[in-house]
Amino acid sequence: MRSKFTPALSRRGFLVGSAAAGAALSLHPARADSLDAFTLRAAPGRARLVPEPWGASDVWCYGGAVPGPEIRVRQGARLRIEVENALAEETTVHWHGLRVPNGMDGVPHLTQAPIAPGEAFAYAFDAVDAGTFWYHPHQRSFEQVGRGLYGALIVEEETPPRADRELAWVLDDWRLTQDAAIAADFGGFHDMSHAGRLGNTVTINGRIPDAVPVRTGERIRLRLINAANARIFALDFGDLAPQVIALDGQPVTPHATPGGRVVLGPAMRADLMLDVTVGPGETISVIDRFFAQDPYALVDLAVAETPLRDAPPDWSMALAPNPLSEPDLARARRHEVTFTGGMMGGMVERQMGLSGGSGIGGMMGGGMMNRMHDGGIWFVNGVAAEGHILDPMLTLARDASHVIAMTNATAFHHPIHLHGHSFRVISRNGTPTPHREWQDTVLMAPRERVEIAFVADNPGDWMFHCHILEHQASGMMGVIRVA
Ligand code: C2O
Ligand code: CU
C-alpha cells in the first residue's frame, strides 16, 4: 500500500491504474531553443497529485506543472532563464547546488531585489559542473516550495556513463486534506520547532506513482532529488543493490550504501546506477524506511516477462570529476559552528556539555520567553536569523582552504546547505568518511559532529542554512562571506 500516511486517505484507497504506468515519470524539457534559453513562469495552477476519485489540487508551480519543467543542458553551456512572477507575492529562484556568481544566486535582499508580482528577472550563468541539481524559490520557501514551486536542473556530462535508460525522480511530500487540497497550515509552531512540515502523501514527479516497468538485466541511471520541505528518505531497494555514483551532483567513487539504503535529506540528490538483477515477473517495492516505525512503499518496480539481458552489463560507472578546487587540509583555517534550539534542545545542549538553554522546553522561565519573543526557535552560533539581511556569521578568506566543524546540539536531524560552493564531508564524529564526498547539503544526525572542507573560491555573501524549510524560517540560517 502506498500513501499510507493519512489512514483516512489510504482506507479510501489510492488504487493505482496500470494503463498509464510510467507515464508520470517522464519530465518535459523546458528548452526553448538551441541557445539554452528558458522561461519559467511562477503562477498558481492545478495539478493532479493523487489519482481518481480525487480531483486536481490547487498548487503554485512553474510552467503550469509540478514539478516545473526540467531544465537540461550540457556541461559548459551558458543558461539564460527568464523568471516571470505571476504569483500574488514576491519571489526569487535559487539554483540549488550550482556554483553560480553571487548576483545570480536568487536570495532575496542579499543577492537581488525580490521579483515583485507581475515582474520578471533574467538569470544567466554557466553550467560549470555536470550533475543533478534543482531550482526553487528562496522567498518564503516554506510555503512557496511547499505549494509546488520546484523543478529539476540537469547538467549532462560530456561523456555520460553508459546506461540503458535514465530516470529522474523528484520526490515530494504533501500535507493534503481529505479533499486533496494542500493544507494551509504553513509555518505552524509545531512544525517549526520539531521535524518540519511532514506530510501525508509522497509523490514522484508530482504524482503518486504507478508501478515502473523495468527489465531483467537492464541498467537504469536514476537521479533522485528530494524537494520535500522536511521529509528525509531512506530508500530500500530490496533485492537490488544500487550503486551511488554522484551525491548532490558531484561524482563519488561508485559504492553501495550501508544496508543498501539511500538516505536523502531535503534538497539532497543522489545519482544511482540501478542494475535489475532479479528475474522476469518479479516486483521490487522501493520502501522508505527513514521512520522505522512507519515504513511505506514509495513505488514498485515491475519486472517485465522478457529479459533485456541475462546478467547486468559490466560498463564502467565512474563519472569524470567536476572542476572543484581541492582543499589543503594541512593549511586550512578552522571554524566552529554549533546548531542549537528546537524542542528538547536545552536538554541535548546540557548533555553535550554546552552551556545550554536555547532549546524550547529545555529552559525555564525568562530566557526561553525572551528568545521566543524574538521569533527564533533555532540558532546558529547562538543567533536566530530573521530574514535574509544578516551580518555575516563567518568571513572566509577568498581562495584559501577552510574547515568548518559543525556540531548539531539539537534533538533533530538537519540537512545543512551552503550556497555557492560544494564542500567535502571529511569526518563524522571524528571518524574520516570513506568517500570524502562532495556535497552542497550535508545531513547531520542529532548530536552529530561533521567536518566539511572546501576552498572559498566564489566571492560574495552566501546563505548557509538548514534545508528543513520550517527550520530555516525560524532562525536556522546565516550568511558566510567570502572576501
Ligand atoms: Cu535549496 Cu538556500 O537553498
Ligand atoms: Cu533543521
Side-chain angles (χ1 to χ4, degrees):
M1 282 302 293
R2 49 189 65 84
S3 66
K4 71 189 282 283
F5 294 113
T6 297
L9 284 179
S10 71
R11 268 200 299 278
R12 290 164 69 185
F14 284 137
L15 289 178
V16 168
S18 58
L25 300 175
S26 59
L27 297 166
H28 305 290
R31 182 171 294 200
D33 58 38
S34 57
L35 299 169
D36 292 328
F38 305 87
T39 299
L40 285 179
R41 182 179 166 83
R46 303 265 297 163
R48 173 170 282 289
L49 306 172
V50 294
E52 302 282 351
W54 282 270
S57 309
D58 285 325
V59 297
W60 298 353
C61 59
Y62 296 111
V66 177
E70 180 186 284
I71 295 176
R72 186 178 276 262
V73 298
R74 295 289 296 275
Q75 186 171 17
R78 182 150 186 88
L79 289 89
R80 187 181 185 285
I81 306 168
E82 173 93 3
V83 173
E84 301 170 0
N85 183 8
L87 302 168
E89 62 182 54
E90 295 175 333
T91 195
T92 61
V93 179
H94 171 58
W95 315 98
H96 185 115
L98 284 118
R99 296 186 294 138
V100 302
N102 193 253
M104 294 292 125
D105 199 44
V107 179
H109 307 291
L110 187 72
T111 70
Q112 68 170 99
I115 311 168
E119 295 194 346
F121 185 88
Y123 294 88
F125 50 85
D126 297 329
V128 175
D129 296 329
T132 303
F133 304 99
W134 66 299
Y135 60 88
H136 64 76
H138 221 281
Q139 173 76 351
R140 298 186 64 252
S141 313
F142 64 96
E143 180 165 1
Q144 293 194 4
V145 177
R147 287 191 183 273
L149 286 163
Y150 58 79
L153 198 165
I154 290 170
V155 183
E156 294 176 342
E157 301 87 12
E158 200 157 321
T159 335
R162 192 164 166 199
D164 293 305
R165 194 152 55 115
E166 181 180 315
L167 294 173
W169 289 359
V170 188
L171 307 176
D172 197 2
D173 170 34
W174 309 78
R175 187 178 291 173
L176 299 182
T177 68
Q178 293 301 311
D179 306 320
I182 297 173
D185 55 349
F186 287 97
F189 179 77
H190 186 274
D191 291 341
M192 296 245 196
S193 58
H194 290 74
R197 179 183 172 93
L198 295 168
N200 52 27
T201 305
V202 173
T203 56
I204 295 179
N205 299 338
R207 286 296 301 267
I208 288 186
D210 298 324
V212 177
V214 300
R215 295 175 73 187
T216 300
E218 188 179 22
R219 171 168 292 179
I220 298 167
R221 178 176 184 171
L222 179 57
R223 299 177 187 262
L224 297 172
I225 300 173
N226 182 355
N229 281 33
R231 183 170 293 278
I232 302 166
F233 295 90
L235 300 182
D236 175 350
F237 286 78
D239 288 339
L240 305 186
Q243 294 282 313
V244 179
I245 61 168
L247 290 167
D248 291 354
Q250 301 295 345
V252 64
T253 306
H255 63 278
T257 51
R261 298 207 185 152
V262 179
V263 177
L264 279 186
M268 297 170 69
R269 290 87 64 215
D271 284 44
L272 309 180
M273 281 297 190
L274 192 62
D275 285 328
V276 180
T277 48
V278 298
E282 294 199 35
T283 297
I284 299 281
S285 284
V286 181
I287 299 178
D288 176 10
R289 299 192 186 278
F290 183 76
F291 294 105
Q293 290 350 293
D294 192 20
Y296 66 97
L298 170 70
V299 62
D300 287 345
L301 307 177
V303 187
E305 293 298 340
T306 333
L308 182 63
R309 59 176 75 81
D310 295 340
D314 60 359
W315 310 327
S316 164
M317 296 181 186
L319 295 162
N322 281 317
L324 291 156
S325 311
E326 190 61 47
D328 176 351
L329 296 185
R331 287 162 187 235
R333 301 169 201 200
R334 290 187 60 88
H335 314 270
E336 291 278 342
V337 172
T338 303
F339 301 101
T340 56
M343 201 54 76
M344 313 298 290
M347 187 185 74
V348 175
E349 289 166 45
R350 280 193 298 277
Q351 286 168 350
M352 293 186 76
L354 299 160
S355 49
S358 58
I360 298 157
M363 299 179 60
M364 319 210 185
M368 175 179 107
M369 294 318 291
N370 286 340
R371 299 211 190 194
M372 302 277 301
H373 282 154
D374 293 342
I377 296 175
W378 302 92
F379 304 85
V380 186
N381 284 353
V383 177
E386 269 189 89
H388 290 91
I389 312 164
L390 302 165
D391 291 333
M393 53 172 283
L394 289 176
T395 298
L396 305 183
R398 184 176 172 183
D399 294 330
S401 294
H402 299 271
V403 169
I404 301 183
M406 304 189 294
T407 302
N408 176 9
T410 80
F412 292 86
H413 284 78
H414 303 285
I416 302 297
H417 174 45
L418 173 64
H419 286 211
H421 300 77
S422 289
F423 47 77
R424 279 196 188 277
V425 179
I426 57 172
S427 79
R428 289 183 180 270
N429 291 329
T431 305
T433 54
H435 301 290
R436 303 178 72 244
E437 55 274 19
W438 290 103
Q439 304 242 237
D440 54 58
T441 308
V442 60
L443 185 62
M444 299 185 72
R447 299 171 165 79
E448 195 174 29
R449 280 179 60 82
V450 174
E451 287 182 313
I452 62 172
F454 60 103
V455 176
D457 55 3
N458 200 355
D461 282 356
W462 301 103
M463 296 310 302
F464 173 73
H465 63 88
C466 180
H467 222 289
I468 289 178
L469 301 176
E470 292 70 31
H471 294 178
Q472 178 189 7
S474 53
M476 207 165 186
M477 176 162 78
V479 166
I480 291 184
R481 174 168 293 170
V482 174

